[in-house]
Amino acid sequence: MLVNRTEQLLGTVMELSQRDRLSDLVEELTTSGQPQLNHDKMKEVKKICKVSNDCIEHVYHSLMSQLNQEHAEIRLSAFQMASELFSRSHHFRTLLVDNFQEFLELTVETDAEQPLPPPKEVARKLRLLAIQTVQSWQASYGSAYKKLALGYHFLKQVKKVDFQDVEARTVAERRRDEERQRKMERIYKERVEAATKDMEETYQDIEATLTEMESCMRLLLPEFSLTDIRTANEHASDDEQPCCSKDLRDDSKEEKTQDIEESTVKERKENEGMTEEHGSHDEEVEDDQKRDGNEHEDKQAEMDVAQGQKDDEEEDDSEEEEIEPADEDLFIRNSGLISHSYSLDLNLSPGLHVKETDDNEAVVSTVIDLYKLITTKHLPAVQGWVQVFTKSGAEQQLLRRALDLKRSLEAALEKHKELHIDYKTRDRKVIMAFWDGEDDEDDEDFDEVPEKEGYEPHIPDHLRAEYGLDPSPSTSTAPVTQKKLPAKRPAPPVPPSYSSCLSRRLKRLAEEEQDPTSVVATLRVLNKRIPVPTESSSSASGQGSSQSGTDQKPVEAPVVPFGLDLYYWGQEQPNAGKIIKSTSQHQFWVPAEVEEEVDNRDLLAESKSRYISYPGTFTPVSHSCRAPLGNGKLCQRQDRLKCPFHGRIIPRDQEGRPCSKEDRLREEQEERRKREQQPDWRDPELMRDIEAATGEDLGSDRVRGKKGKGKKKKYPNLSDLKQHTNTSRSRLEKKVFNKSSMRRVAEVMNKADIRKHDKYSNQFNYALK
Amino acid sequence: MLGYLAARQAGLDDPLRLRRAESTRRVLGLQLNPDRDVDRIHGNGINTIDIEAIEGRYMLSGGADGVIAIYDLENYSGKSQYTCKAVCTVGRSSRHVHKFSVETVQWYPYDTGMFVSSSFDKTMKVWDTETLKPAELFEFEGNVYSHHLSPIARKHSLIAVGTKNPKIQLCDLKSGSKIHVLQGHRGEVLSVRWSPRYEHILASASADSKVKVWDVRRASGSLLTLDQHNGDKSKASSEAANTAHNGRVNGLCFTGDGLYLLTTGTDDRMRLWNSASGENTLVNYGKVCNESRKRLQFTVSRGCSPEFVFVPCGSSVAVYALHTGELVTMLRGHYNNVDCCEFHPDYQELYSGGKDCNILAWVPVLRTSDVEEESNRENKVTGGQSSVNPALQDAWSSDED
């Protein structure tokens, strides 16, 4: 025992230096800011600690004080040191375990009110490391140190630290997540409730709309639904025939009465019709099925027309084949037709077409309204519900209901689309049942005509014939026009019936053209002779003439308004600038002395001056400033005499240096002066902020030069915590919540208040102070 | 120690003296012992524990999760390492479990066949220990903060109940009904305690900062209202008259002999009162951290020559000398607030329960003899480390030289 004492006494003397060394080492190590400890220094620490328990105690206390620092990097390093020593020294373990609560608070963040200090990244790392380390300590020392085991269980069971969790999320974090989750759930729930309520309310509405739409469509097209079509199909199966064949028959009947001459024209047209027909044949077959339903409605009408009911599609095909040139006589004999080139007018509608007539006007307008209602109101609403339900994972039933609604709405829209209702004709209030292949001449007279108001600058090609004009201004032959027609108007599907009637009219025209007595023929001759100037060319020429007129005007003396200066041109103005005050008009009372004439210099100047606008021409500046800019370019400003940025414009060489020597000297001086006085926006602090924000180098380092050296950070290796707090907000706060400014504001407000108290002291709320 | 033994042998001393000296020594040596564990049953904080007085063998605990557990404290294994097993529990799966946090549990003072628990679910249940089913159920209008059975009563079997209601309820176990109400408090009654000396004397602590002493035979009102200033009007402001603390009074404890009463309040003070006169003894315990909104269960040692107070103080248990107010030690082991502690008078052990779900046993550390110490030292020097846990050894690696 005694020996030990003396040893210790000797030791204390030695230790004094060691303690200082230890303190230094601990401080150096903990303030290094490095993620790993310096091995050499750590080794030294261990070496000293090994000597005695006093040293360990000293290290322990200094480490605890470092752990209490509000800087995660310091704490991390201190923790690393502690874990190094923990595995070495029993004494250190007892010390640390005795104070394990605080240790955990400082490293694992067990106390929610005492979060780990910034920087966040390091803090997270520290916590992760601490949790892992505690686990390993528990594994190796848990049995021997009761409090360590308790702490481990505390972390595991109360703080719910998941030691397997790599993220090492604390309860606080998890709670935050849960809270967010709960919040979202609540919001979703609210939304779902709102949507459900909304749906309940609107459901009836939508149903009503749908049924209304359905019945409207039924009214427009009685057999629209699929079942109807099927039954209708069965009915009409025997008299099923493509519309084209019917057209053919009607037309062919007509054609018989017409001249053979026409046939050449017709043939060309027919060829086109054929190609067209081929293109849309598939579609037509489908449409046929739908149409057939309606066809049997029109059966009566057809009966008288179609005497040869027996010819059906096959015949149609055969007829198509017959187009190929054959022996004419044989053909006539076989078929009884005079010409083997007959017109095949195809009435093709790309789908169903419903036109507004007086009969169904009300229904169509209802449909339009319903359509609008569905597209603008119901469908978006339903889509919104579906979105809400899917997002929130609401009950399947609700979702299904919403989806059903959506589907039925979309189906209604689809049906409506298939109907191809012509809205544009609403103004005319005329409708045609156009979709069935009925070839009724009377109906075709009601052609679709765009509304016109008075003068029509452009007459559509297909109407030119009606106006007795050439089919098109540039060309005069009908076939060419026909070819152009479909190409020119691709957007609105032209009902082929147009072309049929049109072609007939054109045929007639062509016929008439042959007759020299007709108006058309004369017109044509005239057209050929005199090229009619087009509209555009005439307007252009008009402009040209006006321009040339101004150019050609002789230079005249300027006309200026007549004025006093002209009246007294070259003379002295007698009364210029004098105000004559009229003497009193009073009969006998006269003011004593009145100066009758008053000189006024302004008036004098006015009467002698005249504003004449500058008649000279503006000559643009051809030179530029060419002063060198910061980015290496030359200043491109074209000022006449002086550049607002670079001063007087002087001749400069290729690189922007002034040519003359004195200019160069002057510029250099200026630059030097500028460099000396930094403008305030180049405040190094501000620039550093901007650099940090944008990641670009604005040269704050260069600027800092003088100032930065003054204050040196105590621990340069640690990351600066204040840097994060130096935000625009904090700077503003510094200004706004400045003590003096606060006082100033308070004073002003107090003054205002006091004034009120003085003023309204008779009122009770101001009387009390 | 040897002196005490010699005096005892010679018959010079009262046997009590030796016992007291030894008890005191043991209490002073209380430490967290790695050899003694208590099963972790509760999934939430532990609000209350109670050790039965008959055998001193079983301990009740009530948790904030509504669970009640009974532990066997006796170590019959013969080894030093012992984990106090939970003999039985009223777990969450039980049909009769308290719905909310159990605030107070107490053994029936004369038999371990019965215990009483009260809870924030506004009920108090009298349990049959054998079947773990409630034999009686009392329902109240508000949360029950505390109840107490008189440890010495022979003439009555009343349970005093402090609830959110300012009236103190007295429930009779004989009739199974609430038979009496004590009116006088203006705040919720956080703690009630029967005197261990007079069976009709009851003390109550309330959130209105007052502590009242009642004689339950007297219907008209309380016997005493404790005044922290001892009636000195000049010190007391008008509203602080007749108050025991400047905050809520949430802890109440008689000394073992019933002569003194200890109270704790949220003003971070602990006061010692003469229970007969209601006089503040003005013992200064310093700051006793106390943030609990509920009852704080603390205890006084029995059978030591200067008695000690064990009072939860944050996450540790503070040990004060009762009459001097001197802070003896802080028992640091819990990782969260401590809510209750109970002293085992036979073994001078302390059990404490806290919000960290642990019940910790503080066991006296036997002083190792000097001879042993020396041999240990020798062992270390020679490098023989067989007898000691390797985890307790230093492990300096050689490369640090």
Side-chain angles (χ1 to χ4, degrees), chain A residues 50 88 90 93 101 146-147, chain B residues 37 334-335 393-395:
Chain A
K50 206 179 165 185
R88 300 292 195 291
H90 164 66
R93 282 196 289 267
Q101 285 102 330
K146 169 103 179 172
K147 255 183 98 173
Chain B
D37 271 326
H334 283 284
Y335 284 83
Q393 295 303 304
D394 288 356

Side-chain angles (χ1 to χ4, degrees), chain A residues 205-206 209-211 213-214 217 367-383 405-406 408-413 416:
Chain A
D205 221 3
I206 291 175
T209 313
L210 279 174
T211 33
M213 190 88 172
E214 186 71 20
M217 285 189 187
V367 167
I368 291 167
D369 288 346
L370 290 174
Y371 175 77
K372 270 181 194 158
L373 188 68
I374 288 175
T375 46
T376 56
K377 195 184 159 200
H378 291 327
L379 200 58
V382 171
Q383 274 164 345
L405 265 186
K406 193 187 168 192
S408 46
L409 282 176
E410 277 171 352
L413 286 186
H416 174 266

Side-chain angles (χ1 to χ4, degrees), chain A residues 150-163:
Chain A
L150 284 175
Y152 175 75
H153 284 289
F154 171 70
L155 282 182
K156 197 172 177 182
Q157 283 169 4
V158 181
K159 289 292 164 189
K160 312 282 187 219
V161 171
D162 186 355
F163 285 96

Side-chain angles (χ1 to χ4, degrees), chain A residues 561-609:
Chain A
F562 189 71
L564 268 180
D565 56 330
L566 287 182
Y567 184 76
Y568 294 107
W569 192 257
Q571 299 171 29
E572 186 69 20
Q573 286 184 28
N575 291 328
K578 282 179 185 165
I579 297 170
I580 299 166
K581 287 185 181 169
S582 57
T583 49
S584 173
Q585 301 290 315
H586 207 272
Q587 232 175 340
F588 37 81
W589 188 83
V590 174
E593 66 264 66
V594 167
E595 213 176 321
E596 292 201 342
E597 284 184 1
V598 182
D599 273 341
N600 189 320
R601 209 168 291 166
D602 288 346
L603 267 180
L604 179 67
E606 216 168 84
S607 61
K608 281 184 176 175
S609 64

Side-chain angles (χ1 to χ4, degrees), chain A residues 179-352:
Chain A
E179 226 152 75
R180 203 184 306 132
Q181 190 96 24
R182 227 176 296 138
K183 206 171 148 196
M184 290 307 288
E185 261 171 36
R186 206 175 52 235
I187 290 170
Y188 275 137
K189 205 179 160 194
E190 271 170 23
R191 277 197 201 158
V192 166
E193 270 170 20
T196 322
K197 209 176 143 200
D198 211 7
M199 194 160 84
E200 289 301 327
E201 282 170 2
T202 339
Y203 191 73
Q204 299 293 331
D205 221 3
I206 291 175
E207 285 286 295
T209 313
L210 279 174
T211 33
E212 215 175 322
M213 190 88 172
E214 186 71 20
S215 43
C216 280
M217 285 189 187
R218 251 170 231 271
L219 283 175
L220 283 176
L221 280 180
E223 296 83 12
F224 196 75
S225 71
L226 209 63
T227 50
D228 285 352
I229 289 168
R230 277 204 197 110
T231 51
N233 258 344
E234 283 157 20
H235 280 264
S237 56
D238 50 347
D239 58 359
E240 187 181 345
Q241 56 182 185
C243 52
C244 53
S245 61
K246 279 177 273 160
D247 288 348
L248 165 80
R249 209 163 298 117
D250 294 345
D251 276 351
S252 57
K253 255 169 56 186
E254 262 179 75
E255 242 46 75
K256 278 173 199 163
T257 61
Q258 288 181 352
D259 261 351
I260 308 168
E261 259 180 39
E262 296 169 28
S263 63
T264 48
V265 181
K266 273 183 263 161
E267 209 164 24
R268 275 186 221 128
K269 209 197 84 61
E270 168 210 285
N271 283 342
E272 281 171 34
M274 289 308 290
T275 53
E276 214 176 296
E277 193 247 14
H278 277 296
S280 58
H281 195 267
D282 302 338
E283 193 186 339
E284 203 188 321
V285 172
E286 286 167 15
D287 291 336
D288 275 348
Q289 292 186 336
K290 284 178 191 168
R291 244 173 279 147
D292 282 339
N294 302 311
E295 264 175 328
H296 82 131
E297 199 183 75
D298 307 321
K299 247 191 275 177
Q300 285 306 108
E302 269 173 39
M303 281 302 239
D304 47 0
V305 180
Q307 65 280 73
Q309 199 65 257
K310 58 213 173 263
D311 49 14
D312 39 42
E313 277 176 313
E314 288 149 324
E315 205 203 356
D316 183 28
D317 290 343
S318 67
E319 276 174 342
E320 279 173 30
E321 281 157 22
E322 275 171 47
I323 293 160
E324 282 142 34
D327 185 19
E328 203 171 313
D329 296 339
L330 190 72
F331 176 72
I332 295 170
R333 236 177 286 139
N334 286 347
S335 64
L337 293 172
I338 301 162
S339 165
H340 70 201
S341 54
Y342 51 87
S343 164
L344 187 65
D345 276 339
L346 296 173
N347 190 355
L348 303 174
S349 54
L352 297 170

Side-chain angles (χ1 to χ4, degrees), chain A residues 402-649:
Chain A
L403 280 175
D404 283 348
L405 265 186
K406 193 187 168 192
R407 217 171 294 133
S408 46
L409 282 176
E410 277 171 352
L413 286 186
E414 190 61 32
K415 270 187 193 173
H416 174 266
K417 212 167 143 195
E418 278 171 13
L419 273 182
H420 293 284
I421 300 173
D422 276 315
Y423 295 136
K424 283 165 195 165
T425 60
R426 277 187 68 71
D427 299 328
R428 287 192 61 205
K429 315 281 185 202
V430 178
I431 235 184
M432 272 177 214
F434 212 72
W435 38 272
D436 64 353
E438 207 176 347
D439 196 4
D440 196 347
E441 279 291 330
D442 296 339
D443 274 359
E444 289 189 12
D445 284 344
F446 297 105
D447 263 355
E448 190 182 342
V449 171
E451 203 187 0
K452 51 187 170 185
E453 292 166 359
Y455 168 66
E456 289 176 292
H458 172 69
I459 298 160
D461 288 344
H462 64 284
L463 292 178
R464 277 181 164 267
E466 278 183 295
Y467 288 74
L469 289 171
D470 281 342
S472 91
S474 53
T475 56
S476 53
T477 46
V480 185
T481 329
Q482 280 300 306
K483 268 178 194 165
K484 274 193 175 176
L485 223 158
K488 269 189 178 177
R489 307 177 63 231
V494 189
S497 57
Y498 272 157
S499 55
S500 69
C501 87
L502 186 61
S503 63
R504 240 164 274 133
R505 240 171 246 133
L506 282 171
K507 272 173 235 153
R508 232 169 277 141
L509 274 180
E511 216 175 294
E512 281 172 10
E513 244 172 59
Q514 306 297 322
D515 183 5
T517 57
S518 69
V519 186
V520 184
T522 332
L523 264 176
R524 208 187 74 172
V525 173
L526 281 175
N527 277 353
K528 274 180 186 168
R529 257 181 230 160
I530 310 155
V532 180
T534 55
E535 205 180 359
S536 60
S537 69
S538 74
S539 69
S541 68
Q543 280 171 8
S545 68
S546 67
Q547 269 179 350
S548 63
T550 48
D551 287 345
Q552 284 160 15
K553 256 183 203 168
V555 183
E556 283 172 5
V559 179
V560 288
F562 189 71
L564 268 180
D565 56 330
L566 287 182
Y567 184 76
Y568 294 107
W569 192 257
Q571 299 171 29
E572 186 69 20
Q573 286 184 28
N575 291 328
K578 282 179 185 165
I579 297 170
I580 299 166
K581 287 185 181 169
S582 57
T583 49
S584 173
Q585 301 290 315
H586 207 272
Q587 232 175 340
F588 37 81
W589 188 83
V590 174
E593 66 264 66
V594 167
E595 213 176 321
E596 292 201 342
E597 284 184 1
V598 182
D599 273 341
N600 189 320
R601 209 168 291 166
D602 288 346
L603 267 180
L604 179 67
E606 216 168 84
S607 61
K608 281 184 176 175
S609 64
R610 167 172 287 276
Y611 297 108
I612 298 168
S613 51
Y614 175 63
T617 51
F618 171 76
T619 48
V621 181
S622 56
H623 59 269
S624 55
C625 168
R626 292 168 56 76
L629 293 174
N631 57 3
K633 287 180 186 165
L634 299 179
C635 178
Q636 291 298 321
R637 279 193 66 94
Q638 293 191 317
D639 299 283
R640 204 168 288 279
L641 293 171
K642 196 177 174 187
C643 173
F645 300 116
H646 305 102
R648 209 159 59 77
I649 291 170

Side-chain angles (χ1 to χ4, degrees), chain A residues 1 4 43 46-47 49-50 56 85 87-91 93 98-102 104 140-141 143-148 150-151 153-154 157-158, chain B residues 32-38 40 43 315 332-336 355-358 360 374 377 389-401:
Chain A
M1 289 292 280
N4 275 343
K43 211 175 258 184
K46 283 188 249 182
K47 202 173 167 184
C49 284
K50 206 179 165 185
I56 286 173
L85 291 173
S87 60
R88 300 292 195 291
S89 163
H90 164 66
H91 191 66
R93 282 196 289 267
D98 265 351
N99 202 8
F100 209 55
Q101 285 102 330
E102 195 189 341
L104 286 184
S140 43
Y141 306 105
S143 56
Y145 299 89
K146 169 103 179 172
K147 255 183 98 173
L148 177 62
L150 284 175
H153 284 289
F154 171 70
Q157 283 169 4
V158 181
Chain B
L32 196 61
N33 196 326
D35 292 340
R36 185 68 64 90
D37 271 326
V38 181
R40 277 192 199 86
S315 66
R332 294 170 58 86
H334 283 284
Y335 284 83
N336 214 329
K355 286 204 175 69
D356 59 355
C357 314
N358 283 330
L360 296 185
E374 245 165 43
R377 195 176 292 275
N389 189 336
L392 299 175
Q393 295 303 304
D394 288 356
W396 297 106
S397 53
S398 55
D399 64 331
E400 272 111 37
D401 288 324

